[in-house]
Amino acid sequence: MESDRDGGCRGEFTCEFCSLSASYTYYGQKPPNTRAIVLLEECFVMRDPFSPDKEKFLVLGSSCSLCRKMVCVGPDCSLFYTKRFCLKCVREHLEEFPQQIQMEVAKKKQTHKTHLSH
Ligand SMILES: [Zn+2]
Ligand SMILES: [Zn+2]
């Protein structure tokens, strides 16, 4: 029925962690109207509203490969390591990630606490 024509809103993307929300125009690995772009994962994508260029698009987020929650691509919400993981799942399975990822996540934890310091 609905083909992959541009412009049509497919639904609403809402990040389960930071509540970022936007309507996405495409979900999948190859956004329409892009010539050679194939994304590494299935993503929620919207056409870039700030660009007149039809081929420009924004990746809003994806779903966590473990808990399937919608997460945005923000560094405080998710991480891409061969697949998309939300930070909650990353923390739960931290030992299974390489040390480099573990260090990155450790850094993120610190930046979250800045509001509490006095
Ligand atoms: Zn988020
Ligand atoms: Zn998750």
Side-chain angles (χ1 to χ4, degrees):
M1 314 229 283
E2 281 291 314
S3 59
D4 279 343
R5 294 296 301 247
D6 55 81
C9 283
R10 294 299 196 78
E12 188 83 358
F13 167 83
T14 307
C15 175
E16 303 237 8
F17 293 88
C18 69
S19 304
L20 169 116
S21 76
S23 24
Y24 62 90
T25 52
Y26 175 76
Y27 176 75
Q29 277 188 293
K30 195 179 180 319
N33 304 315
T34 52
R35 264 177 233 135
I37 297 169
V38 179
L39 301 163
L40 289 169
E41 56 179 331
E42 297 207 319
C43 299
F44 295 96
V45 170
M46 73 184 285
R47 205 141 36 88
D48 189 344
F50 306 108
S51 171
D53 184 348
K54 270 195 155 188
E55 294 195 11
K56 281 273 167 60
F57 64 92
L58 299 172
V59 174
L60 297 166
S62 185
S63 46
C64 172
S65 57
L66 291 174
C67 67
R68 310 310 303 175
K69 281 182 176 160
M70 283 180 173
V71 278
C72 74
V73 291
D76 286 335
C77 295
S78 73
L79 179 149
F80 187 81
Y81 173 70
T82 68
K83 283 182 268 185
R84 177 67 54 188
F85 298 97
C86 70
L87 279 202
K88 189 171 171 285
C89 290
V90 172
R91 285 183 179 134
E92 276 169 22
H93 300 270
L94 200 55
E95 327 78 60
E96 294 163 43
F97 288 88
Q99 209 175 13
Q100 196 198 336
I101 304 279
Q102 295 185 18
M103 279 158 61
E104 270 178 46
V105 174
K107 266 189 254 164
K108 288 183 214 289
K109 263 185 202 164
Q110 287 165 10
T111 52
H112 261 299
K113 292 255 167 121
T114 44
H115 281 291
L116 297 172
S117 59
H118 191 256

